[in-house]
Amino acid sequence: MRLKRRLFLLTIILLCVMPAGGCKKNEGNSEQAQIVQETDNVGEKNNDVSTGEETPTPTLELTDNKEMFIYSINSDTMEKESITAMISSNEEITPDLIVEKVVDSLEDASFLVGIDAVATSGDIVIVSFEKDLAPVANVNKRIETEILDVVAQSLLDNLNDYTKVVFRVMGEAYQSAHRTFGIDQVYLEKSN
């Protein structure tokens, strides 16, 4: 009985301490700890106090990450800002990945951006938006422009092989309540 009580207290203490250890800001260190649940092939197991069943021991595994600088919108000032997105070091930086990270950061700032497709043609990245979500719908002209800017600038700053960004809506010419672009009209071009 005493052993079960001690194991229970130890489990509670570990559950309280483990989340606090993961709250430190990663300053320049590109390694990040992740908890990985693995099957126990060494024979060491923990007993689940509540059910009495044996469970595998969680272990820490270090993964190597790298930084990618993208743009987002600050939810307080509603202006463009540069932020850092962490990606796996073995992950290739592609137009799709950049757009995904920008959309995630915009979602964190409460903007739901709908992406229909991301494609490339020569030195052009083509981003097609969904017609019922931002930046095409449900935002004013200023926010629409900021969203288009952060997507285009994030792409051009992170990709050397592409120099132009074209926006479309559902594969057709870009048209919203505030802006209209030709189907192949370049929104932003990298200056040499």
Side-chain angles (χ1 to χ4, degrees):
M1 183 69 176
R2 265 188 138 174
L3 180 60
K4 282 189 176 182
R5 185 177 291 164
R6 284 185 182 171
L7 282 174
F8 179 74
L9 287 173
L10 180 61
T11 304
I12 297 298
I13 291 170
L14 285 174
L15 288 174
C16 292
V17 172
M18 284 176 49
C23 293
K24 295 180 183 173
K25 187 175 180 184
N26 190 0
E27 297 282 343
N29 185 0
S30 64
E31 291 184 347
Q32 205 175 43
Q34 294 181 337
I35 295 180
V36 177
Q37 191 78 20
E38 62 182 32
T39 58
D40 187 10
N41 55 7
V42 188
E44 182 182 326
K45 297 183 179 185
N46 289 336
N47 288 327
D48 184 342
V49 176
S50 62
T51 64
E53 295 179 9
E54 293 182 351
T55 57
T57 304
T59 59
L60 292 177
E61 182 179 290
L62 295 177
T63 58
D64 196 28
N65 291 324
K66 62 183 174 183
E67 297 177 339
M68 178 173 65
F69 297 100
I70 60 172
Y71 295 92
S72 186
I73 297 176
N74 182 305
S75 59
D76 295 327
T77 64
M78 296 299 165
E79 294 180 356
K80 177 177 51 182
E81 68 179 354
S82 177
I83 63 169
T84 303
M86 297 303 291
I87 60 172
S88 175
S89 64
N90 60 358
E91 199 165 8
E92 182 183 356
I93 296 177
T94 64
D96 288 303
L97 176 67
I98 295 166
V99 170
E100 175 188 328
K101 293 298 182 180
V102 171
V103 168
D104 288 347
S105 72
L106 290 169
E107 192 173 289
D108 290 343
S110 299
F111 296 106
L112 294 178
V113 176
I115 301 296
D116 171 51
V118 179
T120 59
S121 176
D123 66 341
I124 301 171
V125 178
I126 303 163
V127 180
S128 181
F129 295 101
E130 293 179 7
K131 64 181 178 180
D132 297 329
L133 294 172
V136 181
N138 306 322
V139 293
N140 62 33
K141 184 176 182 177
R142 179 175 170 243
I143 297 301
E144 178 181 7
T145 302
E146 291 288 350
I147 292 171
L148 296 175
D149 285 350
V150 301
V151 171
Q153 288 185 317
S154 295
L155 286 164
L156 294 181
D157 285 359
N158 285 290
L159 298 169
N160 294 327
D161 296 337
Y162 303 96
T163 60
K164 300 172 188 152
V165 176
V166 169
F167 291 129
R168 296 181 181 163
V169 176
M170 302 301 292
E172 302 293 324
Y174 186 100
Q175 184 169 353
S176 71
H178 313 290
R179 312 193 93 184
T180 301
F181 306 124
I183 193 159
D184 291 322
Q185 183 176 342
V186 174
Y187 178 80
L188 189 62
E189 185 170 1
K190 191 184 291 188
S191 59
N192 292 334

